[in-house]
Amino acid sequence: TSGDRNTAIGYDALTSNTSGIENTALGMWALNTNTTGNENTALGSRTLYSNDSGGYNTALGYYALYYNTTGSGNTALGSRTLIKNTTGTLNTAMGTRALQENITGTENTATGYYALRLNTTGDYNTASGSRSLYSNTTGDQNTAVGYYALNALTTASGNTAIGADAGKQTLAGGENVFV
């Protein structure tokens, strides 16, 4: 291999690396399939397990960013955060299962337990609060701040909800404001 300045501690951590540089893998199977990805940090069992060439990712927590292959610039803090992300980039997830179902969604921010949990391809969403934007799958540019804010919204875009339960029952419709 030609990779430089890598650190791997744990069973099968960083075992497939060929030319990736400055990666840190700590935990069983952390960064297991990384070959050319650079400057990744994986802390926890199975973190960034499927990463191949994605770079500049940070994963901390059981199964965080597990299926990520080429996605770059993602930050996942918490158990199963961004677990299904494959190619999505520049996402930030903090809290158990935040952005769990995200596959290709880009530039989303989820803070809180189950925040943006079902998002798959939606982009530019911000969810702060437990279960905020929980059901969003493909909606873009939504902002939900507060416990259960926009919880039921699935595919609509451009909504803003501030406060606990704000817009909680809203299923569709765009460009709405809930306070």
Side-chain angles (χ1 to χ4, degrees):
T1 65
S2 60
D4 291 327
R5 300 177 301 278
N6 293 296
T7 302
I9 300 171
Y11 179 77
D12 277 344
L14 205 61
T15 57
S16 300
N17 196 67
T18 55
S19 61
I21 61 169
E22 297 182 356
N23 293 292
T24 301
L26 174 59
M28 181 173 65
W29 296 312
L31 275 165
N32 180 267
T33 60
N34 189 77
T35 57
T36 61
N38 297 324
E39 297 180 35
N40 292 294
T41 302
L43 304 174
S45 179
R46 297 172 180 87
T47 52
L48 277 163
Y49 176 89
S50 303
N51 194 73
D52 178 48
S53 60
Y56 317 105
N57 294 298
T58 301
L60 172 61
Y62 183 68
Y63 275 92
L65 277 164
Y66 180 86
Y67 289 106
N68 191 76
T69 54
T70 61
S72 294
N74 295 296
T75 301
L77 306 174
S79 178
R80 294 180 175 88
T81 51
L82 280 163
I83 189 173
K84 293 190 179 175
N85 191 77
T86 56
T87 60
T89 61
L90 304 172
N91 293 295
T92 301
M94 183 170 36
T96 299
R97 297 185 184 209
L99 274 165
Q100 177 177 329
E101 303 295 320
N102 193 74
I103 298 170
T104 61
T106 297
E107 293 189 46
N108 294 294
T109 301
T111 305
Y113 177 74
Y114 280 13
L116 268 167
R117 181 172 183 242
L118 300 179
N119 190 78
T120 54
T121 60
D123 300 323
Y124 315 113
N125 294 294
T126 301
S128 181
S130 180
R131 294 180 177 88
S132 56
L133 275 167
Y134 174 94
S135 300
N136 186 73
T137 55
T138 60
D140 299 325
Q141 298 177 347
N142 293 297
T143 301
V145 179
Y147 175 75
Y148 267 86
L150 290 173
N151 177 268
L153 192 71
T154 57
T155 60
S157 297
N159 293 290
T160 301
I162 299 175
D165 297 322
K168 177 181 175 179
Q169 299 300 323
T170 304
L171 298 173
E175 306 299 326
N176 294 301
V177 176
F178 304 93
V179 181

